[in-house]
Coordinates of all heavy atoms in Angstrom, one line a residue:
M1 N 215.4 112.3 140.8 CA 216.7 111.8 140.5 C 217.4 112.6 139.4 O 216.8 112.8 138.4 CB 216.6 110.3 140.1 CG 217.9 109.6 139.8 SD 217.6 107.9 139.3 CE 216.8 107.2 140.7
Q2 N 218.6 113.0 139.6 CA 219.3 113.8 138.6 C 219.9 112.9 137.5 O 220.5 111.9 137.8 CB 220.4 114.6 139.3 CG 221.1 115.5 138.3 CD 220.3 116.7 137.8 OE1 219.6 117.3 138.6 NE2 220.4 117.0 136.6
K3 N 219.6 113.3 136.3 CA 220.2 112.6 135.1 C 220.9 113.6 134.3 O 220.7 114.8 134.4 CB 219.2 111.9 134.3 CG 218.5 110.7 135.0 CD 219.5 109.6 135.2 CE 218.8 108.5 136.0 NZ 219.7 107.5 136.4
L4 N 221.8 113.2 133.4 CA 222.6 114.2 132.5 C 221.7 115.0 131.7 O 221.9 116.2 131.4 CB 223.6 113.4 131.7 CG 224.7 112.8 132.5 CD1 225.6 112.0 131.5 CD2 225.6 113.8 133.2
D5 N 220.6 114.4 131.1 CA 219.8 115.1 130.2 C 218.5 115.6 130.8 O 217.5 115.9 130.2 CB 219.4 114.2 129.0 CG 218.9 112.9 129.4 OD1 218.9 112.6 130.6 OD2 218.4 112.2 128.5
G6 N 218.4 115.7 132.1 CA 217.3 116.2 132.8 C 217.1 115.4 134.2 O 218.0 115.0 134.8
R7 N 215.8 115.3 134.6 CA 215.5 114.6 135.8 C 214.5 113.5 135.5 O 213.7 113.6 134.6 CB 214.8 115.5 136.8 CG 215.8 116.6 137.3 CD 215.1 117.4 138.4 NE 216.0 118.3 139.1 CZ 216.8 117.9 140.1 NH1 216.7 116.7 140.6 NH2 217.6 118.8 140.7
K8 N 214.6 112.4 136.3 CA 213.6 111.3 136.2 C 212.7 111.4 137.4 O 213.2 111.6 138.5 CB 214.3 110.0 136.1 CG 214.9 109.7 134.8 CD 215.5 108.3 134.7 CE 214.5 107.3 134.3 NZ 215.0 106.0 134.1
C9 N 211.5 111.1 137.2 CA 210.5 111.1 138.3 C 210.9 109.9 139.3 O 211.1 108.8 138.8 CB 209.1 110.9 137.8 SG 207.9 110.6 139.1
D10 N 211.0 110.1 140.6 CA 211.3 109.1 141.5 C 210.2 108.1 141.6 O 210.4 107.0 142.1 CB 211.6 109.7 142.9 CG 213.0 110.4 142.9 OD1 213.8 110.1 142.1 OD2 213.2 111.2 143.8
G11 N 209.0 108.4 141.3 CA 207.8 107.5 141.4 C 207.7 106.6 140.2 O 207.7 105.4 140.4
C12 N 207.6 107.1 139.0 CA 207.4 106.3 137.8 C 208.5 106.2 136.8 O 208.5 105.4 136.0 CB 206.1 106.8 137.1 SG 206.3 108.4 136.4
G13 N 209.5 107.1 137.0 CA 210.7 107.0 136.1 C 210.6 107.8 134.8 O 211.6 107.7 134.0
I14 N 209.5 108.5 134.5 CA 209.5 109.2 133.3 C 210.5 110.4 133.3 O 210.8 110.9 134.4 CB 208.1 109.7 132.9 CG1 207.6 110.8 133.9 CG2 207.1 108.6 132.8 CD1 206.4 111.6 133.4
L15 N 211.0 110.8 132.1 CA 211.9 111.8 132.1 C 211.3 113.2 132.1 O 210.3 113.5 131.4 CB 212.7 111.7 130.7 CG 213.9 112.7 130.6 CD1 215.0 112.4 131.7 CD2 214.5 112.5 129.2
L16 N 211.7 114.0 133.0 CA 211.2 115.4 133.2 C 212.1 116.4 132.4 O 213.3 116.0 132.2 CB 211.1 115.8 134.6 CG 210.2 114.8 135.5 CD1 210.4 115.2 137.0 CD2 208.8 114.9 135.1
H17 N 211.7 117.6 132.2 CA 212.5 118.6 131.5 C 213.6 119.0 132.4 O 213.5 119.1 133.6 CB 211.6 119.7 131.1 CG 210.6 119.3 130.1 ND1 210.8 119.0 128.8 CD2 209.2 119.2 130.2 CE1 209.7 118.7 128.2 NE2 208.7 118.8 129.0
P18 N 214.8 119.4 131.8 CA 215.9 119.8 132.6 C 215.6 121.0 133.5 O 216.2 121.2 134.6 CB 217.0 120.2 131.6 CG 216.6 119.5 130.4 CD 215.1 119.3 130.4
S19 N 214.6 121.9 133.1 CA 214.3 123.0 133.9 C 213.4 122.7 135.1 O 213.3 123.5 136.0 CB 213.6 124.1 133.0 OG 212.4 123.5 132.5
N20 N 212.8 121.5 135.1 CA 212.0 121.1 136.3 C 212.8 120.9 137.5 O 213.9 120.3 137.4 CB 211.2 119.9 136.0 CG 210.1 120.1 134.9 OD1 209.9 121.2 134.5 ND2 209.5 119.0 134.5
T21 N 212.4 121.3 138.7 CA 213.1 121.1 139.9 C 212.5 120.1 140.8 O 212.9 119.9 141.9 CB 213.3 122.5 140.6 OG1 212.0 123.0 140.9 CG2 214.2 123.4 139.8
V22 N 211.4 119.6 140.4 CA 210.6 118.6 141.2 C 211.2 117.2 141.1 O 211.9 116.9 140.1 CB 209.1 118.6 140.9 CG1 208.5 119.9 141.1 CG2 209.0 118.1 139.4
E23 N 211.0 116.4 142.1 CA 211.5 115.0 142.1 C 210.4 114.0 141.7 O 210.7 112.9 141.4 CB 211.9 114.6 143.5 CG 213.1 115.5 144.1 CD 214.4 115.3 143.3 OE1 214.7 114.2 142.8 OE2 215.1 116.3 143.1
L24 N 209.2 114.5 141.6 CA 208.1 113.7 141.1 C 207.3 114.4 140.0 O 207.1 115.6 140.0 CB 207.1 113.4 142.3 CG 207.7 112.6 143.5 CD1 206.7 112.7 144.6 CD2 208.0 111.2 143.1
C25 N 206.8 113.6 139.0 CA 206.0 114.2 138.0 C 204.6 114.6 138.6 O 204.3 114.1 139.7 CB 205.8 113.2 136.8 SG 204.8 111.8 137.2
P26 N 203.8 115.4 137.9 CA 202.5 115.8 138.5 C 201.6 114.6 138.9 O 200.9 114.7 139.9 CB 201.9 116.6 137.4 CG 203.1 117.2 136.7 CD 204.1 116.1 136.7
E27 N 201.6 113.6 138.1 CA 200.7 112.4 138.5 C 201.2 111.7 139.7 O 200.4 111.4 140.6 CB 200.7 111.4 137.3 CG 199.7 110.3 137.6 CD 199.6 109.3 136.5 OE1 199.9 109.6 135.3 OE2 199.2 108.1 136.8
C28 N 202.5 111.5 139.9 CA 203.0 110.8 141.0 C 202.9 111.7 142.3 O 202.7 111.2 143.4 CB 204.4 110.3 140.8 SG 204.5 108.9 139.7
A29 N 203.1 113.0 142.1 CA 203.1 113.9 143.2 C 201.7 114.0 143.8 O 201.5 114.4 145.0 CB 203.6 115.3 142.8
N30 N 200.7 113.7 143.0 CA 199.3 113.8 143.4 C 198.6 112.5 143.7 O 197.4 112.4 143.8 CB 198.5 114.6 142.4 CG 198.9 116.1 142.3 OD1 199.2 116.7 143.3 ND2 199.0 116.6 141.1
S31 N 199.4 111.4 143.8 CA 198.8 110.1 144.1 C 199.6 109.4 145.1 O 200.8 109.6 145.2 CB 198.6 109.3 142.8 OG 199.9 109.1 142.2
V32 N 198.9 108.5 145.8 CA 199.6 107.6 146.8 C 198.9 106.2 146.7 O 197.8 106.1 146.1 CB 199.4 108.1 148.3 CG1 200.2 109.4 148.5 CG2 197.9 108.3 148.6
W33 N 199.6 105.2 147.2 CA 199.1 103.9 147.3 C 198.8 103.5 148.7 O 199.7 103.7 149.6 CB 200.1 102.9 146.7 CG 200.3 103.2 145.2 CD1 201.2 104.0 144.6 CD2 199.6 102.5 144.2 NE1 201.0 104.0 143.3 CE2 200.1 103.1 143.0 CE3 198.6 101.6 144.1 CZ2 199.6 102.7 141.7 CZ3 198.1 101.2 142.9 CH2 198.6 101.8 141.7
V34 N 197.6 103.1 149.0 CA 197.2 102.8 150.3 C 196.9 101.3 150.5 O 196.5 100.7 149.6 CB 195.9 103.6 150.7 CG1 196.2 105.1 150.7 CG2 194.7 103.3 149.8
V35 N 197.2 100.8 151.7 CA 197.0 99.4 152.0 C 195.8 99.4 153.0 O 195.9 100.1 154.0 CB 198.2 98.7 152.6 CG1 197.9 97.3 153.0 CG2 199.4 98.8 151.7
M36 N 194.7 98.7 152.6 CA 193.6 98.6 153.5 C 193.5 97.2 154.1 O 193.7 96.2 153.3 CB 192.3 98.9 152.7 CG 192.2 100.3 152.1 SD 192.2 101.6 153.2 CE 190.5 101.4 153.9
N37 N 193.2 97.1 155.4 CA 192.9 95.8 156.0 C 191.4 95.6 155.9 O 190.6 96.4 156.2 CB 193.3 95.8 157.5 CG 194.7 96.0 157.7 OD1 195.5 95.7 156.8 ND2 195.1 96.4 158.9
I38 N 191.0 94.4 155.4 CA 189.6 94.0 155.2 C 189.4 92.9 156.2 O 190.0 91.9 156.2 CB 189.3 93.5 153.8 CG1 189.8 94.5 152.7 CG2 187.8 93.3 153.6 CD1 189.3 95.9 152.8
Y39 N 188.4 93.1 157.0 CA 188.0 92.1 158.1 C 186.8 91.3 157.7 O 186.1 91.6 156.8 CB 187.8 92.8 159.4 CG 189.0 93.5 159.9 CD1 189.3 94.9 159.6 CD2 190.0 92.8 160.6 CE1 190.4 95.5 160.1 CE2 191.2 93.5 161.1 CZ 191.4 94.8 160.8 OH 192.5 95.4 161.2
E40 N 186.6 90.2 158.4 CA 185.5 89.2 158.1 C 184.1 89.8 158.3 O 183.2 89.3 157.6 CB 185.7 87.9 158.9 CG 185.5 88.1 160.4 CD 185.7 86.8 161.1 OE1 185.9 85.7 160.4 OE2 185.7 86.8 162.3
N41 N 184.0 90.8 159.1 CA 182.6 91.4 159.2 C 182.4 92.5 158.2 O 181.4 93.2 158.2 CB 182.5 92.0 160.6 CG 183.3 93.2 160.9 OD1 184.2 93.6 160.1 ND2 183.2 93.8 162.1
G42 N 183.3 92.7 157.2 CA 183.2 93.6 156.2 C 183.8 95.0 156.4 O 183.8 95.9 155.5
S43 N 184.3 95.2 157.6 CA 184.8 96.5 157.9 C 186.2 96.7 157.3 O 186.9 95.7 157.0 CB 184.9 96.8 159.5 OG 185.8 95.8 160.0
E44 N 186.6 97.9 157.1 CA 187.9 98.2 156.5 C 188.7 99.2 157.4 O 188.1 100.0 158.1 CB 187.7 98.9 155.1 CG 187.0 98.1 154.1 CD 186.9 98.8 152.8 OE1 187.4 99.9 152.6 OE2 186.3 98.2 151.9
E45 N 190.0 99.1 157.3 CA 190.9 99.9 158.1 C 192.1 100.3 157.3 O 192.7 99.4 156.7 CB 191.3 99.2 159.4 CG 192.2 99.9 160.3 CD 192.6 99.1 161.5 OE1 193.1 97.9 161.3 OE2 192.5 99.6 162.6
L46 N 192.4 101.6 157.3 CA 193.6 102.0 156.6 C 194.9 101.5 157.4 O 195.0 101.7 158.6 CB 193.7 103.6 156.6 CG 194.9 104.2 156.0 CD1 195.0 103.8 154.5 CD2 194.9 105.7 156.1
S47 N 195.7 100.8 156.7 CA 196.9 100.2 157.3 C 198.2 101.0 157.1 O 198.9 101.2 158.0 CB 197.1 98.8 156.8 OG 198.2 98.2 157.4
A48 N 198.4 101.5 155.8 CA 199.6 102.2 155.5 C 199.4 103.0 154.2 O 198.5 102.7 153.4 CB 200.7 101.2 155.3
I49 N 200.2 104.0 154.0 CA 200.2 104.8 152.8 C 201.7 104.8 152.3 O 202.6 105.1 153.0 CB 199.8 106.3 153.1 CG1 198.4 106.3 153.7 CG2 199.8 107.1 151.9 CD1 197.9 107.6 154.2
Y50 N 201.8 104.6 150.9 CA 203.1 104.6 150.3 C 203.1 105.4 149.0 O 202.0 105.7 148.4 CB 203.5 103.2 149.9 CG 203.9 102.4 151.1 CD1 202.9 101.6 151.8 CD2 205.1 102.4 151.7 CE1 203.3 100.9 152.9 CE2 205.5 101.7 152.8 CZ 204.6 101.0 153.4 OH 204.9 100.3 154.6
R51 N 204.2 105.9 148.6 CA 204.4 106.7 147.4 C 204.3 105.8 146.1 O 203.9 106.3 145.1 CB 205.7 107.4 147.5 CG 206.0 108.4 146.4 CD 205.0 109.4 146.1 NE 204.9 110.4 147.1 CZ 203.9 111.4 147.0 NH1 203.0 111.3 146.1 NH2 203.8 112.3 147.9
T52 N 204.8 104.5 146.2 CA 204.8 103.7 145.0 C 204.0 102.4 145.3 O 203.9 101.9 146.4 CB 206.2 103.3 144.6 OG1 206.8 102.5 145.6 CG2 207.0 104.5 144.3
A53 N 203.5 101.8 144.2 CA 202.8 100.5 144.3 C 203.7 99.4 144.8 O 203.3 98.5 145.5 CB 202.2 100.2 143.0
E54 N 204.9 99.4 144.4 CA 205.9 98.4 144.7 C 206.1 98.4 146.2 O 206.2 97.3 146.9 CB 207.2 98.5 144.0 CG 207.1 98.3 142.5 CD 206.6 99.5 141.7 OE1 206.6 100.6 142.3 OE2 206.0 99.3 140.7
D55 N 206.2 99.6 146.8 CA 206.4 99.7 148.3 C 205.2 99.1 149.0 O 205.3 98.5 150.1 CB 206.7 101.1 148.7 CG 208.1 101.6 148.3 OD1 208.9 100.8 147.9 OD2 208.3 102.8 148.2
A56 N 204.0 99.4 148.5 CA 202.8 99.0 149.2 C 202.7 97.4 149.1 O 202.3 96.8 150.1 CB 201.6 99.6 148.5
K57 N 203.1 96.9 147.9 CA 203.0 95.4 147.8 C 204.0 94.7 148.7 O 203.8 93.7 149.2 CB 203.2 95.0 146.3 CG 202.0 95.4 145.5 CD 202.2 95.2 144.0 CE 201.1 95.7 143.2 NZ 201.3 95.6 141.8
T58 N 205.2 95.3 148.8 CA 206.2 94.8 149.7 C 205.7 94.8 151.1 O 205.9 93.8 151.8 CB 207.5 95.6 149.6 OG1 208.0 95.6 148.2 CG2 208.6 95.1 150.5
Y59 N 205.1 95.8 151.5 CA 204.5 95.9 152.9 C 203.5 94.8 153.1 O 203.5 94.1 154.1 CB 203.9 97.3 153.1 CG 203.1 97.4 154.4 CD1 203.7 97.6 155.6 CD2 201.7 97.4 154.4 CE1 203.0 97.8 156.7 CE2 201.0 97.5 155.5 CZ 201.6 97.7 156.7 OH 200.9 97.9 157.9
V60 N 202.6 94.6 152.1 CA 201.6 93.5 152.2 C 202.3 92.1 152.4 O 201.9 91.3 153.2 CB 200.6 93.5 151.0 CG1 199.8 92.3 151.0 CG2 199.8 94.8 151.1
N61 N 203.3 91.9 151.5 CA 204.0 90.6 151.6 C 204.7 90.4 152.9 O 204.7 89.2 153.4 CB 205.0 90.5 150.4 CG 204.3 90.4 149.1 OD1 203.1 89.9 149.0 ND2 204.9 90.8 148.0
T62 N 205.2 91.4 153.5 CA 205.9 91.2 154.8 C 204.9 91.0 156.0 O 205.2 90.3 156.9 CB 206.8 92.4 155.2 OG1 206.0 93.6 155.2 CG2 207.9 92.6 154.2
L63 N 203.7 91.5 155.8 CA 202.6 91.3 156.8 C 201.9 90.0 156.7 O 201.2 89.6 157.7 CB 201.7 92.4 156.8 CG 202.2 93.7 157.4 CD1 201.1 94.8 157.3 CD2 202.7 93.6 158.8
R64 N 201.9 89.3 155.6 CA 201.1 88.1 155.4 C 201.4 87.0 156.4 O 200.5 86.3 156.9 CB 201.4 87.5 154.0 CG 200.7 88.3 152.9 CD 200.5 87.6 151.7 NE 200.1 88.4 150.6 CZ 198.9 88.8 150.3 NH1 197.9 88.4 151.1 NH2 198.6 89.6 149.3
Y65 N 202.7 86.9 156.8 CA 203.0 85.8 157.8 C 202.5 86.1 159.2 O 202.3 85.2 160.0 CB 204.5 85.6 157.8 CG 205.3 86.6 158.6 CD1 205.7 86.3 159.9 CD2 205.8 87.7 158.0 CE1 206.4 87.3 160.6 CE2 206.5 88.7 158.7 CZ 206.8 88.4 160.0 OH 207.5 89.3 160.7
L66 N 202.3 87.4 159.5 CA 201.8 87.8 160.8 C 200.2 87.6 160.9 O 199.7 87.5 162.0 CB 202.1 89.3 161.1 CG 203.5 89.6 161.4 CD1 203.7 91.1 161.5 CD2 204.0 88.9 162.6
T67 N 199.6 87.6 159.7 CA 198.1 87.5 159.7 C 197.6 86.2 160.4 O 196.7 86.3 161.2 CB 197.6 87.5 158.3 OG1 198.1 88.7 157.7 CG2 196.1 87.5 158.2
D68 N 198.2 85.1 160.2 CA 197.8 83.8 160.8 C 198.0 83.9 162.3 O 197.1 83.5 163.1 CB 198.6 82.7 160.2 CG 198.2 82.4 158.8 OD1 197.1 82.7 158.4 OD2 199.1 81.8 158.1
K69 N 199.1 84.5 162.8 CA 199.3 84.6 164.2 C 198.3 85.5 164.9 O 197.8 85.2 165.9 CB 200.7 85.1 164.5 CG 201.8 84.1 164.1 CD 203.1 84.6 164.4 CE 204.2 83.6 164.0 NZ 205.5 84.1 164.3
L70 N 198.0 86.7 164.2 CA 197.1 87.6 164.8 C 195.6 87.1 164.8 O 194.9 87.4 165.7 CB 197.1 88.9 164.0 CG 198.4 89.7 164.1 CD1 198.4 90.9 163.2 CD2 198.6 90.2 165.6
N71 N 195.3 86.3 163.7 CA 193.9 85.8 163.6 C 193.6 84.7 164.6 O 192.4 84.4 164.9 CB 193.7 85.3 162.2 CG 193.4 86.4 161.2 OD1 193.0 87.5 161.7 ND2 193.5 86.2 160.0
Q72 N 194.6 84.1 165.2 CA 194.3 83.0 166.2 C 193.6 83.6 167.4 O 192.8 82.9 168.0 CB 195.7 82.4 166.6 CG 196.3 81.6 165.5 CD 197.6 81.0 165.9 OE1 198.2 81.3 167.0 NE2 198.2 80.2 165.1
T73 N 193.9 84.8 167.8 CA 193.3 85.4 169.0 C 192.3 86.5 168.7 O 191.6 87.0 169.6 CB 194.3 85.9 170.0 OG1 195.1 86.9 169.3 CG2 195.3 84.8 170.4
A74 N 192.1 86.9 167.5 CA 191.3 88.0 167.1 C 189.8 87.6 167.1 O 189.5 86.5 166.6 CB 191.7 88.6 165.8
E75 N 188.9 88.5 167.5 CA 187.5 88.2 167.4 C 187.0 88.5 166.0 O 186.2 87.8 165.5 CB 186.7 89.1 168.4 CG 187.0 88.7 169.8 CD 186.2 89.6 170.8 OE1 185.2 90.3 170.3 OE2 186.6 89.7 172.0
N76 N 187.5 89.6 165.4 CA 187.2 89.9 164.0 C 188.5 89.7 163.2 O 189.4 90.5 163.2 CB 186.8 91.4 164.0 CG 186.2 91.8 162.7 OD1 185.8 91.0 161.9 ND2 186.2 93.1 162.4
K77 N 188.5 88.6 162.5 CA 189.7 88.2 161.8 C 190.0 89.0 160.5 O 189.1 89.4 159.8 CB 189.6 86.7 161.4 CG 189.5 85.8 162.7 CD 189.6 84.4 162.3 CE 189.4 83.4 163.5 NZ 189.7 83.8 164.8
L78 N 191.3 89.2 160.3 CA 191.7 89.9 159.1 C 191.7 88.9 157.9 O 192.3 87.9 157.9 CB 193.2 90.4 159.3 CG 193.8 91.2 158.2 CD1 193.0 92.4 157.8 CD2 195.2 91.6 158.6
V79 N 190.9 89.3 156.9 CA 190.6 88.4 155.8 C 191.6 88.6 154.7 O 192.2 87.7 154.1 CB 189.2 88.5 155.2 CG1 188.9 87.7 154.1 CG2 188.2 88.3 156.3
R80 N 191.9 89.9 154.3 CA 192.8 90.2 153.2 C 193.2 91.6 153.3 O 192.7 92.4 154.1 CB 192.1 89.9 151.9 CG 191.0 90.9 151.5 CD 190.3 90.5 150.2 NE 189.5 91.6 149.7 CZ 188.2 91.8 150.1 NH1 187.7 91.0 151.0 NH2 187.5 92.8 149.6
F81 N 194.2 91.9 152.4 CA 194.7 93.3 152.2 C 194.3 93.8 150.8 O 194.3 93.0 149.9 CB 196.2 93.4 152.3 CG 196.8 92.9 153.7 CD1 197.3 91.6 153.8 CD2 196.7 93.7 154.8 CE1 197.8 91.1 154.9 CE2 197.3 93.2 156.0 CZ 197.8 91.9 156.1
E82 N 194.0 95.0 150.7 CA 193.8 95.6 149.4 C 194.8 96.8 149.2 O 195.0 97.6 150.1 CB 192.4 96.2 149.3 CG 191.3 95.1 149.0 CD 190.0 95.8 148.7 OE1 189.8 97.0 148.7 OE2 189.0 95.0 148.6
V83 N 195.3 96.9 148.0 CA 196.2 98.0 147.6 C 195.5 98.8 146.6 O 195.1 98.3 145.6 CB 197.6 97.5 147.1 CG1 198.4 98.6 146.6 CG2 198.3 96.6 148.1
N84 N 195.2 100.1 146.9 CA 194.5 101.0 146.1 C 195.3 102.3 145.8 O 196.0 102.7 146.7 CB 193.1 101.4 146.7 CG 192.3 100.2 147.0 OD1 192.0 99.3 146.1 ND2 191.8 100.0 148.2
K85 N 195.1 102.8 144.7 CA 195.7 104.1 144.3 C 194.7 105.2 144.7 O 193.5 105.2 144.2 CB 196.0 104.2 142.8 CG 196.8 105.4 142.4 CD 197.2 105.4 141.0 CE 197.9 106.6 140.6 NZ 198.3 106.5 139.2
W86 N 195.1 106.2 145.4 CA 194.3 107.4 145.8 C 194.9 108.6 145.2 O 196.1 108.8 145.2 CB 194.2 107.6 147.3 CG 193.3 106.6 148.0 CD1 192.7 105.5 147.5 CD2 193.0 106.6 149.4 NE1 192.0 104.8 148.5 CE2 192.2 105.5 149.6 CE3 193.4 107.4 150.5 CZ2 191.7 105.2 150.9 CZ3 192.9 107.1 151.7 CH2 192.1 106.0 151.9
I87 N 194.1 109.5 144.6 CA 194.5 110.8 144.1 C 194.3 111.8 145.2 O 193.3 111.9 145.8 CB 193.7 111.2 142.9 CG1 193.8 110.1 141.8 CG2 194.2 112.5 142.3 CD1 195.1 109.8 141.3
I88 N 195.4 112.6 145.4 CA 195.4 113.6 146.5 C 195.0 114.9 145.8 O 195.6 115.3 144.8 CB 196.8 113.8 147.1 CG1 197.2 112.4 147.7 CG2 196.8 114.9 148.1 CD1 198.6 112.4 148.1
G89 N 194.0 115.6 146.4 CA 193.5 116.9 145.8 C 194.1 118.1 146.4 O 194.8 118.2 147.3

């Protein structure tokens, strides 16, 4: 995001130097937030990947109402969601 005195990271909002041309600071550029589905038998499944924690939490909140409907007919019921930060190498 362009600011008068430089750039702000689109991920965390810290101020970057005016000479930087990136939209994300090095920490945000190398990390993502993942949403994992956790099932009653202990298995895990990657559900979604987001750039910010807020986007991941919003995704989880929108899916919560569907969980009850899906679990009515599922053999392996969805127990919970986990939001984790992963570092990209």
